[in-house]
Amino acid sequence: MSSPEIASLSWGQMKVKGCSTTYKDCKVWPGGSRTWDWRETGTNHSPGVQPADLEEVVRKGVKTVVIGRGMSEALQVPPSTVDYLKKNGIDVLVLQTEKAVEEYNALAAQGVRVGGVFHSTC
Protein backbone atom coordinates (compact mmCIF):
# COMPACT_ATOMS: atom_id res chain seq x y z
CA MET A 1 0.00 0.00 0.00
CA SER A 2 1.47 3.34 -1.00
CA SER A 3 1.24 6.72 0.69
CA PRO A 4 -1.34 8.97 -1.02
CA GLU A 5 -0.15 12.08 -2.84
CA ILE A 6 -1.16 15.43 -1.40
CA ALA A 7 -2.86 16.87 -4.48
CA SER A 8 -3.16 20.51 -3.39
CA LEU A 9 -2.32 22.90 -0.59
CA SER A 10 -3.45 26.46 0.02
CA TRP A 11 -4.08 28.51 3.16
CA GLY A 12 -6.51 26.48 5.28
CA GLN A 13 -7.14 23.80 2.64
CA MET A 14 -5.49 20.53 1.70
CA LYS A 15 -6.66 17.83 -0.71
CA VAL A 16 -5.36 14.26 -0.74
CA LYS A 17 -5.50 12.32 -4.00
CA GLY A 18 -8.31 9.77 -3.99
CA CYS A 19 -10.16 11.46 -1.10
CA SER A 20 -13.15 13.78 -1.51
CA THR A 21 -12.61 15.55 1.83
CA THR A 22 -10.96 18.98 1.99
CA TYR A 23 -8.81 19.14 5.12
CA LYS A 24 -7.65 22.11 7.17
CA ASP A 25 -5.06 19.98 8.97
CA CYS A 26 -4.51 16.36 8.03
CA LYS A 27 -2.76 13.11 8.84
CA VAL A 28 -1.64 10.82 6.01
CA TRP A 29 -0.15 7.33 5.94
CA PRO A 30 0.24 4.44 3.51
CA GLY A 31 -3.28 3.73 2.32
CA GLY A 32 -5.14 6.58 3.98
CA SER A 33 -5.71 10.02 5.41
CA ARG A 34 -8.00 11.83 7.81
CA THR A 35 -8.59 15.15 9.52
CA TRP A 36 -6.01 16.03 12.15
CA ASP A 37 -8.27 17.30 14.93
CA TRP A 38 -6.08 19.01 17.52
CA ARG A 39 -8.87 18.75 20.12
CA GLU A 40 -8.32 14.98 20.30
CA THR A 41 -4.96 15.46 22.04
CA GLY A 42 -5.21 19.04 23.32
CA THR A 43 -2.64 20.25 20.79
CA ASN A 44 -1.93 23.97 20.43
CA HIS A 45 0.71 25.95 18.54
CA SER A 46 2.79 25.78 21.73
CA PRO A 47 4.05 23.36 22.98
CA GLY A 48 3.00 21.96 19.61
CA VAL A 49 2.92 18.49 18.08
CA GLN A 50 2.76 15.79 20.76
CA PRO A 51 3.67 12.10 20.44
CA ALA A 52 -0.08 11.39 20.83
CA ASP A 53 -0.67 13.29 17.56
CA LEU A 54 1.63 10.84 15.77
CA GLU A 55 0.75 7.49 17.38
CA GLU A 56 -1.89 6.66 14.75
CA VAL A 57 0.52 7.37 11.88
CA VAL A 58 3.33 5.40 13.59
CA ARG A 59 1.02 2.38 13.99
CA LYS A 60 0.62 2.29 10.19
CA GLY A 61 4.23 1.08 9.87
CA VAL A 62 5.81 4.19 8.40
CA LYS A 63 9.55 4.55 7.88
CA THR A 64 9.51 8.35 7.73
CA VAL A 65 7.22 11.01 9.22
CA VAL A 66 7.02 14.52 7.78
CA ILE A 67 5.67 17.25 10.06
CA GLY A 68 4.34 20.45 8.46
CA ARG A 69 4.61 23.32 10.98
CA GLY A 70 2.25 25.67 9.15
CA MET A 71 2.67 28.31 6.46
CA SER A 72 4.44 30.67 8.89
CA GLU A 73 5.88 27.84 11.03
CA ALA A 74 3.80 28.82 14.08
CA LEU A 75 3.30 25.19 15.14
CA GLN A 76 6.06 24.04 17.48
CA VAL A 77 7.62 20.57 17.54
CA PRO A 78 9.23 19.84 20.91
CA PRO A 79 12.35 17.65 21.15
CA SER A 80 10.32 14.99 23.01
CA THR A 81 8.21 14.45 19.88
CA VAL A 82 11.26 14.03 17.65
CA ASP A 83 12.78 11.66 20.25
CA TYR A 84 9.56 9.59 20.31
CA LEU A 85 9.81 9.03 16.55
CA LYS A 86 13.54 8.26 16.60
CA LYS A 87 13.07 5.75 19.46
CA ASN A 88 10.54 3.98 17.21
CA GLY A 89 13.14 3.80 14.40
CA ILE A 90 11.39 6.43 12.30
CA ASP A 91 13.12 9.18 10.33
CA VAL A 92 11.57 12.60 10.91
CA LEU A 93 11.49 15.78 8.84
CA VAL A 94 10.15 19.00 10.39
CA LEU A 95 9.50 21.69 7.79
CA GLN A 96 7.37 24.66 6.81
CA THR A 97 4.16 23.12 5.42
CA GLU A 98 4.68 23.91 1.71
CA LYS A 99 8.19 22.41 1.88
CA ALA A 100 6.88 19.51 4.00
CA VAL A 101 4.24 18.65 1.37
CA GLU A 102 6.86 18.76 -1.42
CA GLU A 103 9.16 16.45 0.58
CA TYR A 104 6.32 14.10 1.55
CA ASN A 105 5.12 13.83 -2.07
CA ALA A 106 8.67 13.18 -3.30
CA LEU A 107 9.14 10.37 -0.75
CA ALA A 108 5.70 8.89 -1.54
CA ALA A 109 6.53 8.94 -5.28
CA GLN A 110 9.73 6.97 -4.51
CA GLY A 111 7.64 4.32 -2.74
CA VAL A 112 8.85 5.17 0.77
CA ARG A 113 6.42 4.21 3.56
CA VAL A 114 5.94 7.82 4.57
CA GLY A 115 3.33 9.42 6.80
CA GLY A 116 2.76 12.94 7.91
CA VAL A 117 0.85 15.53 9.86
CA PHE A 118 0.30 18.89 8.21
CA HIS A 119 -0.98 22.23 9.53
CA SER A 120 -2.27 24.38 6.66
CA THR A 121 -2.63 27.79 8.28
CA CYS A 122 -0.29 29.88 10.46
Side-chain angles (χ1 to χ4, degrees), residues 15-30:
K15 297 280 291 173
V16 175
K17 197 172 195 172
C19 179
S20 60
T21 306
T22 298
Y23 300 113
K24 176 178 173 264
D25 298 320
C26 75
K27 296 181 177 190
V28 291
W29 58 82

Side-chain angles (χ1 to χ4, degrees), residues 36-39 41-50 53 74-78 119:
W36 178 18
D37 183 349
W38 291 15
R39 293 171 297 197
T41 55
T43 296
N44 286 298
H45 286 102
S46 181
V49 183
Q50 303 302 302
D53 293 309
L75 179 61
Q76 301 301 303
V77 180
H119 179 44

Side-chain angles (χ1 to χ4, degrees), residues 1-5 16 27-33 56-65 104 107-108 111-116:
M1 215 173 315
S2 59
S3 300
E5 177 188 343
V16 175
K27 296 181 177 190
V28 291
W29 58 82
S33 65
E56 178 180 20
V57 175
V58 168
R59 282 196 308 268
K60 304 295 184 179
V62 297
K63 181 190 176 305
T64 303
V65 168
Y104 167 87
L107 289 166
V112 174
R113 289 189 59 81
V114 62

